[in-house]
Amino acid sequence: IRNFLRLRGARPAQRIVLVLFALLLAMAPPVSAWPVTPAPAPDLFAGYSYTKAGEASLHGWQLGGSYPLGQSLRLVADLNGHYGSFAQADLTQLTFLAGARWAWAKGRFVPFVEALLGAARTKTSVDLSSGSITDTDTDWGPAFGGGLDYRFGDRWSARAQVDLLVLRAEGAWESDPRLSLGVVYRFGD
């Protein structure tokens, strides 16, 4: 446990995301204690997203959807676009992730944890007086996170979500924390 808590080479923000994820997971009641809710329905999420990719702070958007596989388990697909600049280079990162989400309802609040797997396509461009240089990489890895939906209507919710994207890039593992805020629309009756 000591080595886990030290997280050698991890930035403070990464440690915070991992601790929050562990707390959400620890607070999850056993499956037998989860309340029975009305029939689950597919949903769509759209919102603002921020990520810290290496030393660069990138802002952008997130689109996602989930399909229920039971009362608490959902299949999730997630698409993100983040943009910014760092050290006179323009950066673009597109991420596609898919995986599973476990959610449990607590009245208007619906906390969840998720584990996803996917790829990030990163484009770096530098403008020079003689033209521009562009480099594009695709890196693969998992993402772990969680969040909270607040239902403010039968079909609409507000969502706050935190994830840690762990990528295998150029022979080394990198971890990028991500924060997303937006709205969820639920289909069905």
Side-chain angles (χ1 to χ4, degrees):
I1 292 178
R2 274 191 194 146
N3 286 337
F4 174 76
L5 293 175
R6 286 187 190 142
L7 296 171
R8 293 182 189 152
R11 296 185 303 262
Q14 295 165 333
R15 290 182 184 145
I16 290 170
V17 169
L18 285 174
V19 168
L20 288 174
F21 178 72
L23 287 173
L24 275 172
L25 198 55
M27 291 185 327
V31 175
S32 61
W34 290 352
V36 175
T37 57
D43 66 33
L44 288 176
F45 169 79
Y48 165 80
S49 185
Y50 166 84
T51 191
K52 183 83 169 168
E55 297 297 317
S57 294
L58 306 177
H59 301 269
W61 50 268
Q62 179 177 349
L63 297 174
S66 71
Y67 185 82
L69 299 176
Q71 286 291 51
S72 300
L73 181 63
R74 302 181 79 81
L75 182 63
V76 178
D78 192 68
L79 180 65
N80 297 272
H82 292 100
Y83 312 91
S85 57
F86 179 75
Q88 299 179 349
D90 293 325
L91 305 171
T92 300
Q93 185 183 65
L94 295 175
T95 307
F96 177 75
L97 302 164
R101 175 181 298 147
W102 295 268
W104 54 100
K106 298 282 188 185
R108 290 188 172 271
F109 294 97
V110 182
F112 62 88
V113 294
E114 62 186 11
L116 310 170
L117 183 64
R121 180 100 167 142
T122 305
K123 178 181 169 185
T124 306
S125 299
V126 178
D127 290 327
L128 305 170
S129 59
S130 60
S132 67
I133 299 173
T134 301
D135 180 46
T136 304
D137 292 313
T138 301
D139 304 310
W140 297 85
F144 306 98
L148 182 69
D149 288 355
Y150 175 75
R151 294 181 183 162
F152 56 85
D154 289 341
R155 296 182 185 262
W156 292 95
S157 299
R159 175 175 293 169
Q161 178 177 337
V162 177
D163 294 298
L164 183 65
L165 179 60
V166 182
L167 296 172
R168 180 77 174 166
E170 298 179 15
W173 288 99
E174 296 179 3
S175 52
D176 302 337
R178 179 180 70 179
L179 170 68
S180 302
L181 302 170
V183 295
V184 178
Y185 178 79
R186 287 183 183 21
F187 296 93
D189 295 328

